[in-house]
Amino acid sequence: MVLQIQPPTQSEVIYPDSDGQPVANNTIQFGWIVEIKQNIEWLFADDPNVFVAGDLFWYPVEGRNKIVNTPDVMVVLGRPKGVGVARRRHRLCYQQWKEEGVAPQVVFEILSPSNTQTEMYKKLLFYDRYGVEEYYIYDPDRNNLREWLRGEDGLDVIPQMEDWVSPRLKIRFAPLPEGLQLYRPDGEQFLNYTEISRNADQERQRAEQERQRAELAEQARKDAIPRLLQMNLSIEQIAQALGLSVEEVRRRSPS
């Protein structure tokens, strides 16, 4: 009997989803990351095929787990959302070959004092090489915004950012002396989570007050039916005066 020796199986490539480092190095950087990510998520809340992530490992090449970057915020148009829309699409990292080869089109980086020029230059080369179309770097400490847009030869610097509108996201950038302002396509300014929660609470209160007013008004109309009948108005006249159907007036009329 001849013994068949099986060749060794190729070891599975592991794609880590964490490097043990914090999402941000300070509260300012973290606040900007969360604000940009959440506002873009809300902007595309009704589109199931826009994936937005913060501090997620992006592997562009299968089998090459050393080729990786972690954008502060990345936007992928044309790919399904994750948790909350389809849990099967929950991602521990973004493996591009499993996403029909679609690279993040828009990337944001928020600088902290620990970021070095060498580090940011490597990020620029990475995003240029692997297909990012729009790349924005904001330094909140210096209130400095830098940006690149993909042209024929790769990512090119955008020379003028005043009232710049993102080709992909349609959001407007307004660098002001007091800080960067971002605006939705409808002209509404980006808000932080506290501001959005406060606005949502106020909207719920207004909706509840309007509901109560509508209920009181409806009840008042229906309570008026017996009094109008005592004034010898016909069923049809009452229905027309109160904006009710003839059937509703008859049903609420005293027997």
Side-chain angles (χ1 to χ4, degrees):
M1 182 177 68
V2 178
L3 180 64
Q4 297 291 332
I5 300 177
Q6 298 296 327
T9 58
Q10 183 177 4
S11 60
E12 181 183 1
V13 178
I14 303 300
Y15 300 93
D17 53 35
S18 174
D19 57 5
Q21 299 298 316
V23 174
N25 291 328
N26 56 58
T27 56
I28 296 176
Q29 184 191 26
F30 182 76
W32 271 101
I33 292 172
V34 172
E35 180 173 328
I36 291 173
K37 176 183 180 292
Q38 289 186 330
N39 277 271
I40 295 176
E41 281 183 324
W42 289 322
L43 179 61
F44 292 99
D46 296 329
D47 190 333
N49 289 311
V50 177
F51 173 60
V52 185
D55 194 51
L56 187 72
F57 278 32
W58 165 26
Y59 294 95
V61 182
E62 184 175 7
R64 304 287 299 278
N65 61 3
K66 300 299 184 183
I67 302 178
V68 59
N69 220 313
T70 314
D72 286 336
V73 179
M74 68 180 189
V75 185
V76 192
L77 294 95
R79 298 306 300 150
K81 297 186 189 301
V83 173
V85 175
R87 291 188 178 273
R88 65 184 182 277
R89 294 302 308 165
H90 177 56
R91 299 164 173 89
L92 296 176
C93 57
Y94 190 84
Q95 299 177 25
Q96 189 171 322
W97 58 95
K98 294 183 178 180
E99 306 285 351
E100 298 185 359
V102 180
Q105 294 93 349
V106 185
V107 164
F108 294 83
E109 295 284 358
I110 307 299
L111 294 187
S112 68
S114 65
N115 291 125
T116 65
Q117 289 186 351
T118 299
E119 175 189 1
M120 300 314 295
Y121 180 66
K122 288 181 178 178
K123 283 180 176 284
L124 175 60
L125 291 178
F126 183 98
Y127 298 145
D128 183 38
R129 177 173 297 170
Y130 293 109
V132 171
E133 299 176 13
E134 302 176 40
Y135 177 33
Y136 302 98
I137 300 178
Y138 182 57
D139 183 347
D141 289 333
R142 296 179 175 83
N143 189 25
N144 181 38
L145 177 67
R146 289 177 290 166
E147 55 291 320
W148 290 261
L149 181 67
R150 182 165 295 277
E152 293 182 358
D153 299 320
L155 289 174
D156 295 328
V157 174
I158 303 173
Q160 177 57 266
M161 275 298 292
E162 184 175 355
D163 287 331
W164 168 262
V165 176
S166 161
R168 279 290 194 171
L169 307 181
K170 308 305 179 187
I171 63 176
R172 181 168 64 87
F173 294 75
L176 302 174
E178 60 272 23
L180 175 65
Q181 300 291 341
L182 299 173
Y183 294 88
R184 296 164 49 96
D186 60 7
E188 292 294 324
Q189 184 177 329
F190 273 27
L191 300 175
N192 60 41
Y193 181 77
T194 301
E195 293 169 329
I196 291 175
S197 296
R198 185 183 300 118
N199 290 348
D201 288 340
Q202 293 173 347
E203 186 60 33
R204 282 193 293 268
Q205 291 175 4
R206 284 194 294 268
E208 178 61 20
Q209 291 170 355
E210 183 59 32
R211 184 189 66 79
Q212 292 176 357
R213 283 195 294 268
E215 287 182 352
L216 290 173
E218 181 68 12
Q219 190 60 46
R221 286 194 306 167
K222 293 174 179 178
D223 291 345
I225 293 174
R227 296 195 299 271
L228 294 175
L229 286 171
Q230 292 175 359
M231 297 170 61
N232 295 323
L233 271 69
S234 68
I235 295 293
E236 289 75 13
Q237 289 173 325
I238 295 173
Q240 184 176 8
L242 298 180
L244 298 172
S245 67
V246 172
E247 292 75 14
E248 180 72 8
V249 174
R250 284 201 179 101
R251 188 173 66 83
R252 290 185 169 272
S253 300
S255 54

